[in-house]
Amino acid sequence: SAARDDISKLRNTLRFLLGNLTGFNPETDSVPVKNMYVIDQYMLHLIQDFATKITDSYKQYDFGKVVRLLKAFYTRELSSFYFSIVKDRLYCENEKDPKRRSCQTALAEILDVLVRAFAPILPHLAEEVFQHIPYVTEPKSVFRTGWINTSSIWKKPGLEEAVESACAMRDSFLGSIPGKNAAEYEVIIVIEPGLLFEIMEMLQAEETSSTSQLNELMMASQTTLLAQEPRERTAGDIELTGTFVINLEGGDIREESSYKVIVVPTAREKCPRCWKHTSETADALCPRCAEVIGAK
């Protein structure tokens, strides 16, 4: 039945969260919000909005809406968006790397809110998950620990704009290579100097990177951020254009910027460890993986 499918998708989401929180202790390993990856901070805000909507729906006894919100959140925001982006960081970075801890900090918060959100309608599943959270001490019951805690968290100015504009570019990039592996391409983003360019620099300070927060979002071999058209172009590049409107300070600052996304097949080889196309030669580890392995 459809309901059974939904619950098995929810269980897969919970399994991903629990599995990736192994070895994480929120008391000692959490990263302060302001030091977290931009996308991780963004997820904290999404989970907060979700918690508020869920709480309102329960207050109105609208359980159908609770189910709809829940399903939309774990399929759209988690499985197909956030999890696909952070897998590499979770699986391939050093276990205690702050980059990985930043993601786990967000996952712990997501798990906490998610379990409480469905506890009233799926009590057995909620209890089962609670028993398996690696760091939960007494009381080991979700029903003894109160409702969702939605204290508002500090919000980095431009946070949503950075992620949402990067996602718009990501969507046009992924849409231009249907059925292909994003890691086999590099992306060149051209934005005229201005607010959008400065906001994108939150995600990537250097011109070209295969390890920046922007490239993690793009899931490409590498991403280059330019304020003007590249001098050299190759035949067969895919060129996509778009505009993004930025509203800051409650609408006091409003700027529309156009951007261009140029998609080029990468010349790099596939790293045998992380499977990203970031190695100089075939069968060689990429610089990031070589560093992680060397540190062990």
Side-chain angles (χ1 to χ4, degrees):
S1 70
R4 191 176 295 135
D5 280 354
D6 291 344
I7 288 180
S8 95
K9 281 189 192 126
L10 176 58
R11 287 186 76 101
N12 284 339
T13 302
L14 296 164
R15 196 176 291 126
F16 182 90
L17 288 162
L18 287 168
N20 284 295
L21 285 166
T22 309
F24 177 77
N25 175 359
E27 305 274 298
T28 52
D29 301 329
S30 289
V31 173
V33 173
K34 61 180 191 304
N35 300 344
M36 285 169 78
Y37 257 43
V38 172
I39 182 113
D40 301 340
Q41 291 185 39
Y42 179 75
M43 289 312 291
L44 291 182
H45 291 288
L46 283 190
I47 194 83
Q48 239 178 348
D49 292 345
F50 167 76
T52 308
K53 287 179 185 146
I54 285 276
T55 304
D56 291 346
S57 307
Y58 275 121
K59 279 183 183 154
Q60 292 156 9
Y61 297 97
D62 190 345
F63 303 120
K65 191 171 185 195
V66 169
V67 172
R68 285 194 302 279
L69 286 166
L70 195 64
K71 193 175 157 185
F73 189 78
Y74 70 76
T75 53
R76 232 186 6 240
E77 316 295 356
L78 296 180
S79 297
S80 52
F81 176 64
Y82 187 57
F83 291 174
S84 64
I85 291 168
V86 295
K87 268 180 187 157
D88 176 80
R89 197 160 20 127
L90 289 168
Y91 300 166
C92 299
E93 293 294 350
N94 211 327
E95 190 188 357
K96 296 186 167 66
D97 191 308
K99 294 196 273 287
R100 188 167 179 272
R101 293 297 194 210
S102 165
C103 182
Q104 288 178 308
T105 305
L107 294 180
E109 191 61 34
I110 290 167
L111 181 63
D112 188 73
V113 173
L114 204 54
V115 176
R116 292 172 201 281
F118 67 72
I121 51 175
L122 293 167
H124 298 297
L125 182 58
E127 282 291 71
E128 190 190 343
V129 172
F130 231 69
Q131 308 293 332
H132 286 90
I133 297 178
Y135 44 79
V136 166
T137 48
E138 302 308 314
K140 268 225 184 242
S141 165
V142 67
F143 297 102
R144 294 223 185 112
T145 55
W147 186 233
I148 301 170
N149 172 16
T150 51
S151 53
S152 72
I153 41 177
W154 171 82
K155 188 175 269 185
K156 189 192 212 75
L159 174 82
E160 282 151 322
E161 290 73 15
V163 176
E164 282 157 17
S165 58
C167 283
M169 295 167 197
R170 173 180 191 258
D171 290 345
S172 27
F173 161 49
L174 297 177
S176 74
I177 51 159
K180 303 256 179 39
N181 175 3
E184 293 174 17
Y185 294 85
E186 51 184 78
V187 175
I188 300 163
I189 296 171
V190 187
I191 307 173
E192 61 209 48
L195 206 50
L196 181 60
F197 188 87
E198 285 162 33
I199 282 178
M200 292 305 279
E201 285 188 308
M202 269 164 66
L203 297 169
Q204 179 167 303
E206 59 276 52
E207 188 172 281
T208 298
S209 176
S210 57
T211 54
S212 68
Q213 298 187 41
L214 180 58
N215 192 60
E216 176 186 55
L217 248 169
M218 292 292 160
M219 297 167 81
S221 165
Q222 63 175 34
T223 300
T224 300
L225 184 59
L226 301 174
Q228 59 199 37
E229 292 267 343
R231 277 189 288 280
E232 292 172 14
R233 300 292 297 277
T234 45
D237 290 355
I238 304 170
E239 191 172 293
L240 313 148
T241 52
T243 54
F244 191 80
V245 178
I246 289 173
N247 278 309
L248 290 176
E249 315 286 338
D252 289 349
I253 300 176
R254 190 177 181 284
E255 192 175 293
E256 182 173 19
S257 304
S258 55
Y259 60 82
K260 190 175 275 184
V261 177
I262 302 164
V263 181
V264 189
T266 183
R268 301 210 166 173
E269 300 286 346
K270 182 174 174 175
C271 168
R273 181 173 179 267
C274 67
W275 292 16
K276 291 173 108 178
H277 288 251
T278 43
S279 293
E280 294 301 327
T281 53
D283 303 328
L285 289 179
C286 69
R288 186 274 309 263
C289 286
E291 196 179 321
V292 171
I293 299 248
K296 282 193 171 155

